[in-house]
Amino acid sequence: MIISKQLKRSQLVLIVDDQEINRDVLGMILEDYYEILYASDGVEALEIIEEYRDRLSVVLLDLIMPRMDGFEVLSRVRNDEFLNAIPVIVLTAERSAELRALEMGAADFITKPFDMHEVILARVGRIIELSEGRQLISAAEHDRLTMLYSRNFFFEYVNRIHTYHPDWPMDAIVVDIEQFHSVNALNGREFGDRVLQSIGDGIRGFLSEVEGMASRVEADRFNIFCRCLDDHQKLLDRLQNEVYSYARGANIRLRMGVMPWVEGLEPVVQFDRARAACNMVRGDYKTHLMVYDEDMQRREMLNQRLLNDLRRAVEDKELKVFYQPKYDIQCDPPRLSSAEALIRWNHPELGLVSPGAFIPLFESNGQIGVVDNYVWNEAARQIAEWREKLGVTVPVSVNLSRVDVFDPTLEDTFRGLIDRYGLDFKCLKLEVTESAYTDNAEQMIELINRLRALGFEVEMDDFGSGYSSLNMLSYMPIDVLKMDMKFVRNIEHSEKDYQLVQVVLDIARYLKVPVVAEGVETERQLQMLRDAGCQLVQGYYFSRPVPPEEFEKLIIREKQIQIKRGV
Ligand code: C2E
Ligand code: CA
Ligand code: CA
């Protein structure tokens, strides 16, 4: 930084330290650039601050001093409406004091023994610039709701600690609320705010015992940067209890992700990883705490790789659509009724990547539209191709992601496909997973209604894995229920599971829609489903998802059967 001596001389800096040598060293560093005042204890300092309050640009404040210590000075300055715009930089040798001073509203710290001169000059200059830009630092420093640091200040301090004390072992911890949007939707925003406050209280309580700092970085996400902990579960339990005590009865679960200290790791990356760990906590896990480990790092690298490679994959046709048949089992022999389009990625180096590995990734990253549009188009094209080539129209269902729902061009896209390939609306069916319905019920229902009004049929996928109530189901617009695979898996061995399947079939009868049972692998399962009155079946028993050339054979075989029967 270039500081013009003439220009800066008019700015006034107060140096407060009981040790003469410290005053001298700092004075020497700064005197060419600033006008300097000195005080040797807190009482003297306050007098000078009062006297020069309109002219003081910054106070450099030692914390440990006789008569009145620096904490007291800091707290008086911060609590005085005329003085609190003056930035204070604390001088300290001790980390706990430093963090406490920051919590109390210090603008920065300089460590003893003193840093290099350039560093001190730069920091003093920067704080003055900052404070001249904004008279009242404290308003922007804190999040009003929780009184934790705002995101910017938090990261500014965290980065400073990292830069000046790269050897301090600090944990990065991320906390958020599972399904916060539904907490808000169910109980109202005010309630949501109170829950956030209770988490803020819990975190502040924790930080009064353990050195560190914290911020609410976005809606329901908190970052904590603190001395390495042995027991993160204890902190999670503590915060969870704080929430319970505010919101007894409401089922609110916190999640926590931790990235432990690694020498040299940038705090931003450390927090990214803590967040990644936090996001791995899913509702069905027993634990709500995840510590980032090598496994996650591998997964993260793979994810990064897939994200980078997606564009190329589309251009180079590495993405392939496979088809899995659905059979009507109430006919004898079972009749091919339709197909489901399922994406496959044949990666040149990684081999066949399963959609389970990349669909959720692209969903959270916003790129799922690229994949889905590709599959929808390919499926529509395929229906037309089979129709021309084999003279048979095989309806194909495609999967919609939960995020596609927010795409305002969705209807146009589907209508465009129908026009382009000259299809009947009924040929291109849409599968929407049950949890997408329950997550955004209103939006979803509205969209599905519009699509159905155009003539599309909509299947509710993975039925039984979400939380639809019978009541909700009765007004959800659907044409077909796809029973989640887990219902079928055990019916041969568990009477109870078989009864559950029968319940699902009863619900479908009540809704007057047919059921597709997914994941049927054995003859016995098929028999039991047929006996229970299930009409459609999809699963390895008939065929795995296969490339279109293979699927063609199924169509041809089906045609021959129909011809033999004279249909
Ligand atoms: P899904 O929609 O529930 O698809 C059914 C999954 O079950 C497919 O897995 C299929 O291969 C598998 N499966 C079918 N029969 C059997 C069986 O008898 N036994 C067992 N164990 N599994 C069976 P796949 O292809 O790995 O797809 C997984 C999920 O990825 C799909 O679940 C779907 O949610 C998603 N997905 C696949 N393709 C797409 C796509 O193009 N777009 C979107 N948004 N999601 C897709
Ligand atoms: Ca599906
Ligand atoms: Ca499914």
Side-chain angles (χ1 to χ4, degrees):
M1 175 162 34
I2 301 157
I3 303 173
S4 143
K5 291 186 184 181
Q6 280 74 22
L7 234 157
K8 293 280 172 174
R9 286 268 334 174
S10 62
Q11 286 168 326
L12 195 55
V13 174
L14 171 61
I15 297 174
V16 189
D17 201 310
D18 58 324
Q19 311 245 314
E20 193 179 351
I21 169 94
N22 288 339
R23 293 199 299 272
D24 285 351
V25 170
L26 285 175
M28 260 166 41
I29 297 172
L30 298 170
E31 68 186 0
D32 282 349
Y33 305 92
Y34 303 102
E35 215 177 300
I36 315 269
L37 297 170
Y38 297 94
S40 57
D41 64 48
V43 176
E44 204 184 322
L46 270 182
E47 283 167 13
I48 297 176
I49 293 172
E50 283 284 355
E51 189 181 339
Y52 290 92
R53 68 179 189 213
D54 297 329
R55 283 199 49 215
L56 262 180
S57 288
V58 67
V59 177
L60 307 188
L61 180 66
D62 183 25
L63 288 174
I64 317 295
M65 293 181 296
R67 287 223 286 170
M68 183 191 287
D69 68 13
F71 290 112
E72 182 62 28
V73 176
L74 183 59
S75 113
R76 292 205 193 182
V77 170
R78 279 287 149 265
N79 292 317
D80 184 311
E81 61 172 317
F82 298 110
L83 303 182
N84 71 13
I86 303 171
V88 174
I89 299 177
V90 296
L91 311 170
T92 118
E94 225 188 303
R95 135 160 85 144
S96 55
E98 218 162 80
L99 291 174
R100 193 175 144 211
L102 288 176
E103 283 293 341
M104 288 172 65
D108 200 356
F109 52 82
I110 291 175
T111 45
K112 296 183 194 176
F114 291 127
D115 300 312
M116 297 193 328
H117 295 184
E118 296 74 22
V119 175
I120 292 179
L121 263 175
R123 297 180 102 176
V124 170
R126 194 157 160 282
I127 290 299
I128 293 177
E129 266 169 31
L130 271 177
S131 79
E132 284 173 352
R134 294 164 301 144
Q135 273 309 296
L136 258 175
I137 306 178
S138 48
E141 254 177 4
H142 288 98
D143 161 42
R144 250 178 236 184
L145 194 62
T146 59
M147 290 316 289
L148 298 173
Y149 281 119
S150 66
R151 182 199 170 86
N152 286 348
F153 270 79
F154 174 78
F155 274 107
E156 205 172 310
Y157 289 147
V158 165
N159 284 328
R160 280 184 215 173
I161 289 174
H162 173 72
T163 309
Y164 296 102
H165 305 285
D167 54 336
W168 285 1
M170 305 291 280
D171 279 342
I173 301 176
V174 169
V175 178
D176 73 9
I177 301 174
E178 219 169 61
Q179 303 275 344
F180 182 58
H181 57 95
S182 48
V183 171
N184 266 336
L186 283 171
N187 307 286
R189 271 196 79 100
E190 241 174 75
F191 177 86
D193 283 356
R194 275 219 313 284
V195 171
L196 294 173
Q197 273 165 350
S198 71
I199 298 172
D201 290 349
I203 292 176
R204 274 185 287 113
F206 163 73
L207 289 177
S208 65
E209 295 158 24
V210 173
E211 298 152 26
M213 57 211 329
S215 164
R216 183 167 73 108
V217 288
E218 53 193 90
D220 64 321
R221 176 162 295 157
F222 296 80
N223 281 5
I224 305 173
F225 193 59
C226 68
R227 190 165 47 92
C228 284
L229 300 177
D230 305 327
D231 189 353
H232 298 99
Q233 186 65 45
K234 210 165 115 193
L235 172 59
L236 177 57
D237 293 344
R238 176 179 183 154
L239 299 178
Q240 182 70 60
N241 284 332
E242 192 84 29
V243 171
Y244 280 148
S245 68
Y246 269 76
R248 216 174 293 282
N251 185 23
I252 294 166
R253 299 287 322 205
L254 299 185
R255 312 187 296 177
M256 179 179 281
V258 178
M259 176 62 202
W261 184 76
V262 175
E263 192 170 357
L265 190 67
E266 295 281 333
V268 198
V269 180
Q270 199 183 354
F271 274 102
D272 276 351
R273 292 190 180 166
R275 197 182 58 208
C278 185
N279 289 340
M280 301 244 177
V281 176
R282 295 263 179 273
D284 45 346
Y285 283 168
K286 284 212 180 61
T287 169
H288 281 68
L289 169 70
M290 281 278 180
V291 179
Y292 193 91
D293 59 17
E294 270 176 33
D295 240 27
M296 280 187 204
Q297 180 159 12
R298 262 196 298 278
R299 219 173 317 168
E300 203 182 26
M301 277 162 61
L302 175 68
N303 285 354
Q304 203 48 53
R305 179 85 190 267
L306 295 176
L307 288 172
N308 290 342
D309 290 353
L310 177 62
R311 184 181 293 274
R312 188 201 63 204
V314 175
E315 281 165 9
D316 295 0
K317 304 232 178 320
E318 292 168 21
L319 296 181
K320 291 263 181 310
V321 180
F322 277 36
Y323 297 87
Q324 188 178 32
K326 299 176 188 176
Y327 278 87
D328 185 335
I329 56 167
Q330 295 298 338
C331 304
D332 190 24
R335 200 169 55 87
L336 176 66
S337 89
S338 60
E340 176 176 8
L342 292 158
I343 185 80
R344 294 291 178 266
W345 186 346
N346 196 359
H347 194 285
E349 284 124 49
L350 301 169
L352 218 56
V353 189
S354 109
F358 63 85
I359 297 284
L361 173 69
F362 292 141
E363 276 180 348
S364 58
N365 166 271
Q367 296 201 55
I368 188 67
V370 178
V371 177
D372 279 348
N373 273 289
Y374 173 79
V375 175
W376 301 339
N377 183 70
E378 188 51 30
R381 194 199 57 72
Q382 189 67 63
I383 299 171
E385 186 189 310
W386 281 330
R387 186 188 53 198
E388 310 308 322
K389 194 167 158 190
L390 307 171
V392 185
T393 299
V394 184
V396 173
S397 64
V398 293
N399 289 282
L400 262 64
S401 281
R402 60 191 67 242
V403 278
D404 291 327
V405 178
F406 299 105
D407 175 0
T409 64
L410 198 73
E411 280 167 86
D412 292 342
T413 305
F414 279 118
R415 209 205 307 243
L417 289 175
I418 295 296
D419 288 347
R420 181 159 172 201
Y421 296 105
L423 303 178
D424 190 87
F425 282 100
K426 296 252 174 310
C427 300
L428 192 63
K429 298 172 193 286
L430 315 176
E431 294 191 9
V432 181
T433 183
E434 183 193 9
S435 55
Y437 276 87
T438 40
D439 280 356
N440 315 289
E442 270 172 47
Q443 242 157 327
M444 198 67 194
I445 290 174
E446 215 183 287
L447 172 73
I448 302 289
N449 275 332
R450 290 201 307 270
L451 288 167
R452 287 180 83 216
L454 287 175
F456 288 106
E457 279 186 7
V458 179
E459 312 191 356
M460 184 188 268
D461 203 355
D462 310 319
F463 176 73
S465 64
Y467 304 95
S468 313
S469 62
L470 210 53
N471 177 33
M472 273 168 101
L473 279 174
S474 62
Y475 60 79
M476 274 185 188
I478 37 168
D479 301 290
V480 177
L481 267 190
K482 287 191 84 177
M483 179 160 57
D484 195 73
M485 263 182 254
K486 70 173 183 230
F487 287 95
V488 174
R489 195 173 304 141
N490 257 326
I491 47 172
E492 289 160 285
H493 313 292
S494 154
E495 180 61 22
K496 218 164 158 196
D497 281 20
Y498 190 39
Q499 281 166 1
L500 270 178
V501 166
Q502 288 161 341
V503 170
V504 172
L505 290 165
D506 283 342
I507 292 175
R509 269 188 285 271
Y510 165 77
L511 299 172
K512 302 192 175 60
V513 296
V515 170
V516 181
E518 275 192 281
V520 176
E521 296 183 353
T522 67
E523 170 88 46
R524 178 91 188 107
Q525 287 170 339
L526 179 80
Q527 194 53 51
M528 292 174 82
L529 286 163
R530 181 187 285 145
D531 293 347
C534 176
Q535 192 179 357
L536 296 157
V537 151
Q538 178 182 351
Y540 296 171
Y541 173 77
F542 286 110
S543 166
R544 290 181 175 256
V546 291
E549 311 82 75
E550 293 257 330
F551 196 88
E552 230 172 271
K553 295 180 192 156
L554 296 178
I555 303 176
I556 292 167
R557 196 175 68 192
E558 185 65 32
K559 257 178 82 175
Q560 285 163 350
I561 295 174
Q562 301 303 339
I563 290 167
K564 238 187 248 162
R565 277 175 156 185
V567 184

